[in-house]
């Protein structure tokens, strides 16, 4: 049935470009905090390549500067899928006109426009945009995603256009990792995780051990490496673990840090993907029996272990190795031998273990941390550190010595020393509690004030948290005031949250310029009539602490 469905999809959809496809990235590649949600289609290193709809449907949404996509077009197809074309330089005139109608109807420059099926229908192969380099893009290319329209799940675009891609190169295994379970197993006589090669060595194990693999896929005539589509792990011919990367719910993106060895990536910048499932990892593409993929070496004999890796085209690599079950002493659960930092010693903060299957909390003078159930894939040892800052709004805190991301956001509350607000030792006469916010590594992380405490979000236990106060509005500077109005908009504290503009009291759209602090209004695209006389421009910007700056001037148009 699945084969028939894939055949039907491949007959309905065609590539979004009119030349032979070469990929810079494939679906599901592990990235820090997210999976790569689509295909990166090369555009010869230039912008301006025509981009076509892969199938019949209608333009249901257009965004600019959202979610790292830059300029993006969403096309909804009658088969139940939505294709998304990202990092675009520009839209076709019809799509741009629909975008402008939405912006003026809703009086918003925020470009996240939705359309009905009748506003902008498209057919397969119809031009919808030109390729670009907008958003979180490090070079010109097209990022193509396909979503399940009803659920929003990200799907592998190769299931729709895979017939148009040539690939005869199998995946390559670069290395293996053993993960003895704490207090339950050893590998080669050691309790810590270890990298190893499958060739030319004798391996022993006793007790419970998980395994992981570092591998990449490749394609001919391309210098890039890609993520692995299918991973199968066998023990004595029995399937212990399988991962098929074909559908990823968007809310499961951060689970990549659990399936992959995030700590190893954080220090070495290479991914080992675990062939076992951590107890709090509910990622649907991972399958394992009740043992979660953990091998129990409980007999003194040879165990035959095998990896089978496949790409979308069915190119396959196998790796077999033998591990001898050899009875060894397994000590109790390993104690935390990490030496406390100077900050820990100075502040007498106590380490503790946060459990994956419960809500965890930590409190000490000046800070409270709550990590609800469902935010950890496995137990984490929390080693709080405090940097005393007696003249600041708060001390600085972190909870693990290196980055340790949560699966969703937790909650942190920090007590505010309001008496330290002031300049030249003069305390401000009026303190507005709504101006406090939590700073995480210098970035805005929310802030709700209540009885001296400011509560924000925490998504990484290894970030540095402190309080900040922002009662300074954004800065607005004119760059050009002709038929093309350009303003430089910035905010060095909590950041710009929104902006709006009018000319002669009528709303006008200002587009944010990608990778630039500029916002631009092209007057010939507005409802303002050209009279050669003065028109009054009023531009207002608000930051995340509700500080507003208004810039007014006359323009001749």
């Amino acid at each position: 049935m699945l084969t028939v469905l894939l055949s039907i999809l491949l007959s309905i959809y065609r590539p979004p470009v009119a030349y032979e496809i070469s990929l810079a990235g494939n679906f599901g590649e592990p990235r820090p905090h997210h999976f790569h949600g689509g295909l990166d289609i090369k555009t010869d290193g230039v912008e301006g390549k025509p981009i076509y709809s892969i199938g019949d449907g209608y333009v249901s949404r257009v965004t600019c500067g959202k979610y790292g996509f830059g300029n993006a077009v969403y096309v909804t197809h009658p088969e139940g899928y939505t294709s998304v074309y990202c990092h675009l330089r520009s839209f076709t005139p019809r799509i741009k006109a629909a975008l402008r109608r939405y912006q003026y109807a809703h009086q918003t420059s925020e470009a996240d426009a939705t359309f009905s099926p009748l506003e902008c229908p498209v057919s397969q192969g119809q031009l919808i945009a030109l390729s670009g380099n907008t958003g979180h893009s490090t070079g010109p290319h097209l990022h193509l995603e396909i979503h399940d329209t009803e659920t929003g799940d990200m799907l592998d675009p190769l299931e729709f256009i895979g017939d148009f891609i040539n690939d005869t190169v199998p995946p390559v295994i670069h290395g293996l990792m053993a993960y003895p379970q704490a207090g339950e197993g050893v590998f080669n006589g050691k309790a810590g995780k270890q990298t190893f090669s499958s060739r030319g060595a004798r391996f022993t194990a006793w007790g419970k051990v998980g395994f992981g693999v570092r591998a990449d896929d490749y394609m001919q005539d391309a210098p890039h490496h890609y993520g692995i589509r299918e991973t199968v792990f066998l023990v004595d011919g029995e399937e212990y673990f399988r991962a098929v990367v074909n559908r990823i719910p968007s809310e499961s993106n951060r689970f990549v840090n659990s399936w992959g060895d995030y700590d190893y990536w954080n220090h070495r910048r290479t991914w080992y993907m675990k062939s076992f499932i951590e107890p709090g990892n509910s990622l649907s593409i991972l399958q394992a029996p009740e043992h979660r993929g953990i091998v129990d070496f409980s007999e003194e004999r040879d165990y035959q272990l095998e990896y089978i890796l496949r790409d979308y085209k069915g190119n396959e690599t196998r790796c077999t190795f033998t591990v001898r079950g050899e009875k060894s002493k397994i000590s109790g659960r390993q104690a935390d031998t990490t030496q406390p930092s100077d900050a820990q010693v100075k502040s007498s903060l106590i380490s503790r273990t946060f459990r994956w299957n419960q809500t965890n909390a930590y409190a000490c003078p000046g800070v409270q941390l709550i990590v609800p159930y469902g935010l950890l894939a496995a137990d984490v040892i929390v080693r709080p550190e405090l940097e005393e800052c007696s003249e600041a709004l708060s001390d600085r805190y972190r909870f693990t010595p290196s980055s340790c991301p949560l699966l969703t956001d937790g909650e942190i509350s920090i007590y505010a020393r309001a008496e330290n607000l002031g300049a030249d030792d003069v305390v401000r006469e009026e303190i507005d509690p709504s101006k406090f916010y939590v700073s995480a590594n210098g970035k805005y992380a929310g802030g709700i004030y209540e009885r001296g405490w400011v509560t924000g979000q925490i998504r990484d236990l290894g970030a540095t948290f402190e309080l900040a106060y922002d009662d300074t509005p954004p800065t607005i500077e004119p760059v050009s005031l002709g038929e093309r109005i350009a303003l430089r908009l910035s905010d060095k504290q909590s950041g710009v949250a929104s902006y709006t503009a009018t000319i002669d009291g009528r709303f006008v759209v200002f587009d944010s310029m990608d990778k630039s602090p500029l916002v631009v209004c092209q007057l010939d695209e507005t409802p303002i009539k050209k009279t050669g006389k003065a028109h009054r421009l009023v531009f207002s910007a608000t930051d995340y602490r509700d500080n507003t700056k208004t810039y007014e001037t006359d323009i001749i148009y």
Side-chain angles (χ1 to χ4, degrees), residues 73-129:
V73 171
Y74 294 65
V75 176
T76 295
H77 305 283
E79 297 79 28
Y81 307 105
T82 297
S83 53
V84 189
Y85 311 78
C86 309
H87 307 316
L88 305 171
R89 185 175 77 182
S90 58
F91 312 117
T92 58
R94 184 178 183 182
I95 294 176
K96 184 174 181 179
L99 170 63
R100 285 289 187 253
R101 287 195 300 270
Y102 180 95
Q103 290 171 309
Y104 279 98
H106 294 81
Q107 294 199 1
T108 177
S109 291
E110 181 75 14
D112 191 351
T114 55
F115 308 114
S116 70
L118 298 180
E119 286 186 81
C120 202
V122 295
S123 57
Q124 184 188 80
Q126 182 174 330
L127 181 70
I128 56 175

Side-chain angles (χ1 to χ4, degrees), residues 241-525:
F241 174 88
R242 178 184 294 267
V244 182
V245 188
N246 59 354
R247 174 186 285 258
I248 301 173
S250 58
E251 66 271 13
S252 298
N253 250 322
R254 287 199 224 170
F255 283 87
V256 70
N257 298 322
S258 169
W259 179 21
D261 190 333
Y262 176 82
D263 183 67
Y264 193 91
W265 178 90
N266 192 39
H267 291 91
R268 305 291 184 88
R269 292 301 188 262
T270 55
W271 283 104
Y272 276 85
M273 306 306 290
K274 299 166 188 170
S275 306
F276 60 97
I277 304 175
E278 293 187 319
N281 187 345
S282 59
L283 189 61
S284 57
I285 60 174
L286 308 182
Q287 300 175 23
E290 294 182 358
H291 47 61
R292 297 187 291 109
I294 302 294
V295 184
D296 188 359
F297 295 94
S298 58
E299 300 176 10
E300 294 188 281
R301 63 176 179 85
D302 287 342
Y303 291 75
Q304 301 298 322
L305 280 62
E306 182 177 21
Y307 274 103
I308 306 173
L309 274 56
R310 302 186 183 99
D311 61 20
Y312 173 79
K313 290 289 191 175
N315 301 303
E316 180 179 286
T317 292
R318 290 176 177 255
C319 171
T320 303
F321 57 102
T322 301
V323 177
R324 178 72 179 175
E326 191 171 280
K327 187 172 292 187
S328 303
K329 180 180 179 181
I330 300 175
S331 59
R333 182 170 293 273
Q334 299 296 306
D336 176 25
T337 58
T338 303
Q339 294 297 314
S341 67
D342 292 341
Q344 281 183 284
V345 173
K346 182 176 182 179
S347 57
S348 300
L349 300 184
I350 299 173
S351 298
R352 67 177 59 171
T353 299
F354 276 18
R355 304 297 181 187
W356 70 270
N357 57 350
Q358 66 183 40
T359 292
N360 299 275
Y362 190 97
C364 66
V367 68
Q368 299 174 357
L369 170 67
I370 298 177
V371 178
Y373 170 78
L375 271 63
L376 297 174
D379 293 349
V380 172
I381 298 176
V382 173
R383 308 179 183 95
E385 297 183 8
L386 177 154
E387 180 184 348
E388 295 181 351
C389 308
S390 59
E391 297 181 0
L393 296 177
S394 72
D395 294 329
R396 295 189 181 97
Y397 304 90
R398 66 185 305 185
F399 299 94
T400 56
S402 61
S403 176
C404 181
L406 302 173
L407 297 178
T408 56
D409 291 349
E411 182 180 286
I412 185 172
S413 299
I414 302 176
Y415 192 77
R417 299 194 191 108
E419 66 274 11
N420 285 345
L421 274 175
D424 299 326
D425 298 325
V426 178
V427 177
R428 299 181 189 183
E429 294 182 0
E430 295 184 3
I431 296 174
D432 183 352
S434 69
K435 306 302 181 183
F436 287 105
Y437 67 94
V438 175
S439 169
N441 287 343
K443 296 181 179 181
Y444 176 79
I448 299 175
Y449 181 92
E450 184 176 1
R451 298 181 180 179
W453 291 86
V454 182
T455 300
Q457 295 81 46
I458 177 170
R459 61 175 50 189
D460 190 332
L461 295 173
T464 298
F465 297 89
E466 61 185 312
L467 287 190
Y469 187 90
D470 182 8
D471 61 359
T472 303
T475 299
I476 304 170
E477 300 174 306
V479 176
S480 63
L481 297 173
E483 293 190 9
R484 178 181 183 270
I485 303 173
L487 305 175
R488 182 177 290 107
L489 178 60
S490 62
D491 188 283
K492 296 182 179 180
Q493 293 180 275
S494 61
V496 176
S498 63
Y499 61 85
T500 189
T502 62
I503 295 179
D504 297 337
R506 301 183 67 181
F507 171 80
V508 292
V509 170
F510 270 75
D511 293 317
S512 59
M513 294 292 98
D514 189 70
K515 300 179 175 68
S516 165
L518 297 184
V519 291
V520 172
C521 176
Q522 198 71 38
L523 289 175
D524 60 3
E525 297 179 358

Side-chain angles (χ1 to χ4, degrees), residues 14 49 53 60 62 78 95 127 156 180 260 314 318 418 421 423 447 463 539:
R14 297 188 67 83
K49 295 282 188 178
S53 175
S60 56
V62 173
I95 294 176
L127 181 70
D156 187 353
R318 290 176 177 255
L421 274 175
F539 184 97

